[in-house]
Each structure stands twice: as C-alpha cells, then as structure tokens.
Amino acid sequence: METKGVKLLQGDPKRAIVKLSIPMIFAMLVQTMYNLVDGIWVAGLGPAALAAIGAFFPIFMIIISLASGLGVGASSVIARKIGEKNKHEADKAAVNSLAIAVIFGVTFMIISLTVIKPVLEILGTSKAVLGETLKYAYIIIFSIPLLMFNNVSNGILRGEGDAKKAMYAISIGSILNIFLDPLFIYTFKLGIKGAAYATVFSILVSAILIVFWLFIKKDTYVSIHIKGMKLEAKIINDILRVGIPSSIAQIAMSVAMFVLNIFAVKAGKDLGIAVFTSAWRIINFGTVPLIGLATAVTSVTGAAFGQRNAEKLKTAYLYAIRFGEIISLVVMSSILIFANYIAKAFAYSENGAQIYNELVNALRILSLFLPGVPFGMFTSSMFQGTGYGIRSMIVSINRTIIMQVLFSYLYIFVFNIGINGVWWGIVTGNAISAAITFTWGIFTVRNIKRKF
C-alpha cells in the first residue's frame, strides 16, 4: 500500500521538506518545552538539584545519541528503498532496525548501571550535587531499552514519510511529562527522583502508542512481522553504516558538553554549571525548528538518492538551508531582546537569584551560535540521507570536540576570560566548522550529480 508519506517523498522536494518538517518541528518544540519546564520545576528544589540535572545531561545525551543514531540509520535506509520503489527491502530494514534497538537497549542499560557513578565522579561536583545526580540517573537508566525502541520506531516512521505519527508519539509523551513533573516532584514529595519517574512513565506511554501502530493497527507503509524474523548482515550493515557514525557524532556533542561542563565548573564552580545548563536549554530550544527540518532533509535527500535524482537532492538541501537560516536569525534576535525575561524563569527561587546576571550574559553570547547551525546541521543530514555516515560523523566531531572545546580551552585557560570563555568558544568553533562543512556539502552534491 503506497501511503501519502511515500507519495510525498517521491514528489516535489520543497513541498516534502515543508510537509515533513512541520510535524517534527511541532514535536521537537513540545519535547524541548518539556525540557525547559522540567528544568523550571527542578529549579524550585534549588541550585543543587538544577546542577544535578546538568551534570547528568551530557551522559543522558550519550544514551539518546545511541538511540537517535539507530533511528537515523533506519530512516535513511527506508527512505532510500522507497526511492528505489523496493518495499520488500524497506520491510526488512524496519524489522532489522527494531531487533538492533532491543539488543542495544538491554546491553547499554547494563553498561550504564555499572559505570555511572565513577563517570559522574570525574566531573568534580560537590558531594551534595553528586548524590542528587545519582538519585536521578539510576531511575532514568532503566528506561534505556524503551528509549532505543521509541527512537528507532520514530526513525522508521520518518523514513516512510509519516512524520505525523512520529509527532504524536513524541508530543503525547512530552505533554504527559510536563503534567506529571509537579505531581511526582512536589505532590508526592519525591524531589529529583520524581522528575526521573515522570520521565520514565512518559517514555513508556509513547512506546505503547508505537506498538499499537506497528503491531496491532498495522497501517504503516512498512510491514513488520516478528514471526519468521531474520537478521540479515547486509541490511544491518547498511543501517549501522549510517546509524553508528550518527550516534558517534551525537556522542561527540555530548562528550564536548561534558568537557565544557568541566570547564564551566573550573571557571564558575557549581553556579557555573547551573548557568551553563540553563542557558544551553534555551539555545537548544532555539535549534528545535532546525532539528525538525533536519529530519526532513535526511528523508527527502535519501529518497532522491534512491531515485538517482541529483537535482532533486540539491534542491531539497539548499532550500532547507535557506529556510533554516531565516528561522535562526529570528530566534537569535528574540533571545537577544528578551534575555532578561527568559533568565527570570531559571532564577525565581531564593538561591537561584544569584545566577541571574550571569545567565542573561550567557544567553546573549550563545544566541550568536544559531546562524551557523543550518549550514552544518543540514549538510550532516544530507550526508546521512545519502548514506555517507562517516562524513556526517567527521563534520560533527570537528564542530564539537575539536573546534568548540579547543576555542573554549584557549579562552578560559590561555586568555583567562573566565566563564565567558565557554560561551565564546562554542560560538567561534561553530562558525568556523559551519563554513568548512557547507563547502564539503556542496562538493559532495556535485560529485553525486556526476555519478548519476
């Protein structure tokens, strides 16, 4: 059965970019709104609890990166098979993706439970913050298999052009979490543990919804049959060829954030990490529409690659960058203008007021990060869609671990400009890497056109 999503992927690339990105932008906005609200609810417990969430955030992002990377791999392969009009191979890609998700989920849950404490101790936070972080982390870790399943399933849905179902799964879980947070944290008096329980329960609800679509209602383009399921090395390799580099690329971002957290602690103690955590939540919120667009770029360029249509691929890629740049400039301007008001949401508790001025300053500097994002992010998405997973990984590592960490180190420890060095290091590193990445993207599109 050829669904509306499949017809969309095989049609006009500009229309496909818009139609596929809008549901994902909405879903990402809701999810990021939950992250912001979660931070605000936790902020009511004081700076120690907020710092605890910040300390675990890079580690949690490593877990999310693994899950998201597998989802990107599934999305890329399925989109390319749809472009080739090969439903049988698309079905096999979906089945093998879910099998990988289960295996990876259980494996990394066990590993995380073993290493979480020594890893957190490296960060160097106070014993009070470490204790709060561990309370939160041990609960979240048990949801890793569900996170893997949800992300891969959403990748399958995006790959077949059904962004609306992916939107529903993400949005329902996030909205539920927003309402459960105050209930678990304050009404049930569970403190930071309550935030973790609310998150796990919401992830479970999203998983149930996805199971209903894929295994009970069965109204998706791909057909998934557990009975007689067979793992195939060629398909798994194709998924992992994009998925693993994508995971490594996202892990690189988390590793960079972990290192930058250490820099923030060195430059500003516990308050430094509290400021960084709060400011970066806002900047992440600003990148949400771009992330939604990026998921569409992967699917649309993947389908165009499968169709062997280089002109369609180029149109989708450049159109997305132009669209994304307009969004970035609007968001940057908004943060610059309203930084004073935004900061108040994270500094409303009695103890939290001490981070207000630093937070306003961090927001204004970090907002300059946004205009460079579309050039790097959408080039990386195009690499993923066309099966060049290693290239996507290289540009992400260059941006985060090399450029952002390098410049932050120089600003803090060589030029001694204090906590501002973290913010300016991120901005500088991103701008330089964006120029390099976009140039590589243009050359890649030209080479694909010559091959076709």
Side-chain angles (χ1 to χ4, degrees):
M1 178 182 69
E2 195 172 82
T3 61
K4 289 181 180 179
V6 169
K7 292 176 182 176
L8 188 64
L9 286 175
Q10 294 175 342
D12 176 36
K14 292 183 180 179
R15 182 171 180 270
I17 288 288
V18 173
K19 295 281 284 184
L20 292 178
S21 64
I22 289 174
M24 291 311 299
I25 289 172
F26 178 80
M28 295 293 106
L29 282 171
V30 172
Q31 188 175 52
T32 309
M33 181 64 71
Y34 145 68
N35 287 330
L36 290 172
V37 172
D38 182 61
I40 292 169
W41 284 121
V42 172
L45 298 171
L50 194 60
I53 297 292
F56 182 65
F57 182 73
I59 298 167
F60 185 56
M61 287 309 297
I62 290 174
I63 297 166
I64 291 291
S65 298
L66 291 166
S68 178
L70 292 177
V72 169
S75 179
S76 173
V77 175
I78 289 170
R80 277 182 273 139
K81 297 306 177 187
I82 286 172
E84 295 169 7
K85 298 188 176 181
N86 192 336
K87 184 181 185 304
H88 181 61
E89 288 294 308
D91 291 346
K92 289 198 289 186
V95 170
N96 278 263
S97 298
L98 290 175
I100 295 169
V102 172
I103 294 168
F104 275 47
V106 174
T107 301
F108 283 100
M109 179 183 72
I110 295 169
I111 292 172
S112 299
L113 287 170
T114 305
V115 304
I116 187 63
K117 186 175 180 181
V119 169
L120 286 171
E121 287 173 342
I122 294 171
L123 190 58
T125 57
S126 64
K127 287 186 178 179
V129 171
L130 176 62
E132 290 295 289
T133 307
L134 288 172
K135 288 178 187 176
Y136 183 81
Y138 280 127
I139 296 167
I140 293 293
I141 285 170
F142 280 102
S143 70
I144 292 177
L146 287 175
L147 275 171
M148 293 282 184
F149 173 79
N150 286 358
N151 276 273
V152 169
S153 298
N154 280 324
I156 291 169
L157 294 171
R158 294 195 309 270
E160 66 168 53
D162 196 346
K164 285 187 178 179
K165 281 192 176 71
M167 175 190 71
Y168 294 142
I170 294 169
S171 301
I172 289 171
S174 298
I175 292 170
L176 180 62
N177 209 334
I178 289 172
F179 288 101
L180 289 179
D181 260 344
L183 185 67
F184 280 85
I185 295 172
Y186 298 108
T187 304
F188 296 158
K189 301 186 187 302
L190 292 173
I192 199 167
K193 285 185 177 181
Y197 284 126
T199 298
V200 172
F201 186 80
S202 301
I203 292 169
L204 176 61
V205 170
S206 293
I208 291 170
L209 188 60
I210 291 168
V211 167
F212 173 73
W213 286 326
L214 294 180
F215 299 101
I216 299 173
K217 193 176 182 183
K218 297 182 179 180
D219 61 346
T220 55
Y221 174 73
V222 294
S223 304
I224 299 173
H225 304 288
I226 299 299
K227 187 177 179 180
M229 180 181 72
K230 182 182 177 183
L231 295 178
E232 297 190 25
K234 186 175 181 241
I235 294 174
I236 290 174
N237 178 64
D238 204 8
I239 294 166
L240 297 183
R241 187 162 54 91
V242 174
I244 294 299
S246 176
S247 293
I248 293 173
Q250 292 179 67
I251 289 170
M253 298 178 205
S254 299
V255 170
M257 285 297 107
F258 188 78
V259 174
L260 292 171
N261 269 337
I262 294 174
F263 289 175
V265 170
K266 297 292 184 184
K269 308 300 180 186
D270 283 353
L271 290 181
I273 195 173
V275 170
F276 187 26
T277 301
S278 303
W280 197 245
R281 282 176 183 266
I282 300 297
I283 300 304
N284 273 340
F285 187 77
T287 64
V288 165
L290 305 179
I291 295 171
L293 270 167
T295 62
V297 172
T298 299
S299 299
V300 177
T301 57
F305 189 84
Q307 291 173 313
R308 300 182 65 80
N309 189 332
E311 195 58 40
K312 180 177 176 180
L313 192 158
K314 179 182 176 182
T315 299
Y317 170 52
L318 295 180
Y319 178 76
I321 288 177
R322 288 195 296 270
F323 191 7
E325 197 57 33
I326 293 170
I327 294 171
S328 295
L329 291 171
V330 170
V331 175
M332 180 191 73
S333 301
S334 299
I335 293 174
L336 284 170
I337 294 168
F338 299 108
N340 286 331
Y341 302 98
I342 296 168
K344 287 179 182 178
F346 292 90
Y348 67 89
S349 71
E350 186 176 345
N351 292 329
Q354 55 192 307
I355 71 171
Y356 175 76
N357 290 331
E358 284 293 342
L359 183 52
V360 171
N361 180 59
L363 286 170
R364 285 178 173 156
I365 296 173
L366 286 171
S367 68
L368 304 177
F369 163 87
L370 294 168
V373 173
F375 296 98
M377 183 182 288
F378 298 162
T379 301
S380 180
S381 296
M382 182 270 291
F383 285 155
Q384 290 166 350
T386 52
Y388 293 111
I390 298 294
R391 296 186 186 189
S392 176
M393 177 186 72
I394 290 171
V395 298
S396 295
I397 290 175
N398 178 59
R399 176 172 61 85
T400 53
I401 292 180
I402 297 177
M403 293 294 181
Q404 290 181 2
V405 170
L406 172 63
F407 280 101
S408 293
Y409 179 86
L410 290 174
Y411 289 146
I412 294 171
F413 299 108
V414 178
F415 300 125
N416 297 311
I417 68 173
I419 192 70
N420 282 345
V422 177
W423 325 144
W424 283 115
I426 291 172
V427 172
T428 307
N430 184 66
I432 294 172
S433 66
I436 295 170
T437 302
F438 179 62
T439 302
W440 196 6
I442 291 297
F443 277 112
T444 298
V445 171
R446 288 176 183 172
N447 287 334
I448 289 172
K449 188 172 183 178
R450 280 197 291 267
K451 287 178 183 179
F452 287 173

